[in-house]
Amino acid sequence: MDQTWFFVEHYALIAMFAVVAYLLGARLTRGTDYRGAAEKVSFCTALGLGLISHFVLAAGLLHILSSGVMLAVLTAITLISLPPVSVTREWVARLPGRVSPLKVTLAALTVALAIPILQMPLYPPTQWDAISYHLASAKIYVREGAVVYTPYLRFPVFPQSSEMLFTLMLLLADDIAAQLTQFLMMALTALALYGWGARMFTQRAGALAAVLWLSNPLVLWLGTAAYVDAGLALYLTLAFFSLYNWRKIEAENQRHGWLAISAALFWFAATTKYLALFPILCAGTYLLAYSVKQRSLRPALIFSVITIAVACPWYIRNAWYTGNPVWPYFPEWFGFGPWTGVDIANQKF
């Protein structure tokens, strides 16, 4: 019974957290033309997660990072983002027609078959990067009640959006809950791939894409550990998905809702890991070429303004402490910061 309760309480916590993130994303993109539940859930929840990570960062920079403050923030997000009562009542009224015994049976069978995978993130974290700096930095932030400089960790500064979610989970629960944020992101990526495949081709193609994603052992390993790669994959997948939607649906009509979503997601990726900067450069180059061709710089400007606004806090913080916005990379341009040339040479990135 203890193990069952441990399983239930952690998945209940991450499910409630996902609902809050979804409500926030749905409120901010309520005018967006989503095609299907999978597409809407993946986009809205991912956007909510990215924004919540920045709320944690803001609390940390203000030195007011605590469980009470973050619970108040999450409660406020929920209350502000809840749909009108009439909409909720209409959704509840339509629910019996959408939920059939067959669907319930298939859902229960899927959960039963997935139990071995669902158990994977419930083991204590032992992976090197997780315990040496991802969770270690989050634990320090919780202890200090602030996002502080950590000179005694291997990487004292980094883009740390995923670590902000780890920090939040350590405030509310424990390191297992922190791992579950990456498990949530891995699952949302599968949902996004299903939605993208269904939009471009058929539902069967989308299901195949999702299955191929989840059948990769490395994906399952990264998605059940306190690493940041599952979050990076989620944001980049949805960023390219929304860029595709903008080009196919809105670009010719001079509408840019999907482009704004794409820009935000690209830079949520960049605040998760430096590796996102290369696909951002590719997307930016494409948009610049498109803008020149259309003789309108508006798409490129929208993309640039949103990306800079989203990414600035982490890169300014890096530069403040080390003199290098992308530390420890390009030391020949920006300097070595707290390291020496020997330190850089001995690192294995």
Side-chain angles (χ1 to χ4, degrees):
M1 286 299 296
D2 289 342
Q3 291 181 351
T4 302
W5 176 246
F6 185 82
F7 181 98
V8 171
E9 67 176 351
H10 279 84
Y11 274 101
L13 172 64
I14 205 67
M16 288 189 290
F17 180 55
V19 169
V20 174
Y22 168 80
L23 290 173
L24 177 58
R27 170 61 65 177
L28 293 175
T29 62
R30 56 187 178 274
T32 304
D33 180 25
Y34 293 112
R35 186 178 297 177
E39 188 172 306
K40 184 174 183 178
V41 170
S42 57
F43 271 106
C44 293
T45 309
L47 287 167
L49 291 172
L51 288 168
I52 289 171
S53 73
H54 279 67
F55 293 149
V56 179
L57 171 63
L61 294 177
L62 293 172
H63 288 242
I64 56 171
L65 188 61
S66 68
S67 57
V69 168
M70 294 318 304
L71 282 173
V73 169
L74 294 176
T75 301
I77 290 172
T78 304
L79 294 176
I80 293 171
S81 304
L82 282 173
V85 175
S86 58
V87 174
T88 304
R89 188 183 298 117
E90 182 183 352
W91 182 84
V92 172
R94 290 192 312 224
L95 192 59
R98 295 180 174 180
V99 179
S100 64
L102 177 60
K103 290 181 179 179
V104 172
T105 302
L106 289 175
L109 181 61
T110 301
V111 171
L113 292 174
I115 284 178
I117 296 175
L118 294 173
Q119 289 179 324
M120 291 175 66
L122 301 182
Y123 288 94
T126 57
Q127 301 84 359
W128 174 253
D129 288 359
I131 60 177
S132 66
Y133 58 92
H134 291 312
L135 287 174
S137 60
K139 184 177 180 180
I140 292 172
Y141 300 153
V142 169
R143 184 190 67 197
E144 298 295 326
V147 176
V148 297
Y149 184 59
T150 54
Y152 301 110
L153 295 184
R154 181 184 178 193
F155 297 110
V157 297
F158 247 10
Q160 291 185 319
S161 281
S162 284
E163 284 85 348
M164 292 299 95
L165 298 181
F166 296 165
T167 302
L168 179 60
M169 288 299 115
L170 289 180
L171 283 169
L172 301 180
D174 53 27
D175 52 358
I176 302 300
Q179 289 185 146
L180 281 170
T181 62
Q182 293 299 295
F183 188 81
L184 171 63
M185 289 174 152
M186 178 188 71
L188 288 172
T189 304
L191 204 59
L193 291 170
Y194 172 80
W196 198 352
R199 180 184 277 268
M200 287 185 64
F201 304 107
T202 63
Q203 290 183 345
R204 182 175 296 180
L208 179 60
V211 168
L212 287 173
W213 166 253
L214 292 174
S215 63
N216 188 313
L218 184 57
V219 168
L220 291 176
W221 187 80
L222 290 171
T224 55
Y227 277 41
V228 301
D229 303 271
L232 177 69
L234 172 65
Y235 291 137
L236 286 178
T237 299
L238 288 173
F240 279 110
F241 186 1
S242 47
L243 187 63
Y244 167 85
N245 287 347
W246 168 76
R247 186 66 183 87
K248 291 293 183 181
I249 300 171
E250 297 181 338
E252 300 304 325
N253 298 322
Q254 297 297 306
R255 294 166 53 210
H256 304 295
W258 278 112
L259 180 61
I261 292 173
S262 178
L265 287 164
F266 266 122
W267 281 92
F268 285 150
T271 60
T272 300
K273 199 166 186 176
Y274 289 131
L275 288 176
L277 293 175
F278 177 71
I280 288 171
L281 179 62
C282 294
T285 302
Y286 166 76
L287 282 170
L288 181 60
Y290 177 84
S291 296
V292 171
K293 182 179 179 182
Q294 298 297 316
R295 297 182 179 179
S296 171
L297 291 177
R298 191 176 180 187
L301 287 174
I302 290 173
F303 186 84
S304 300
V305 168
I306 293 176
T307 52
I308 291 172
V310 172
C312 262
W314 285 115
Y315 288 82
I316 290 175
R317 180 176 183 267
N318 290 355
W320 176 264
Y321 286 115
T322 69
N324 181 353
V326 290
W327 185 90
Y329 297 101
F330 305 112
E332 63 277 9
W333 295 352
F334 301 108
F336 294 98
W339 284 358
T340 66
V342 176
D343 294 327
I344 293 285
N346 289 335
Q347 293 301 312
K348 295 180 180 179
F349 299 119

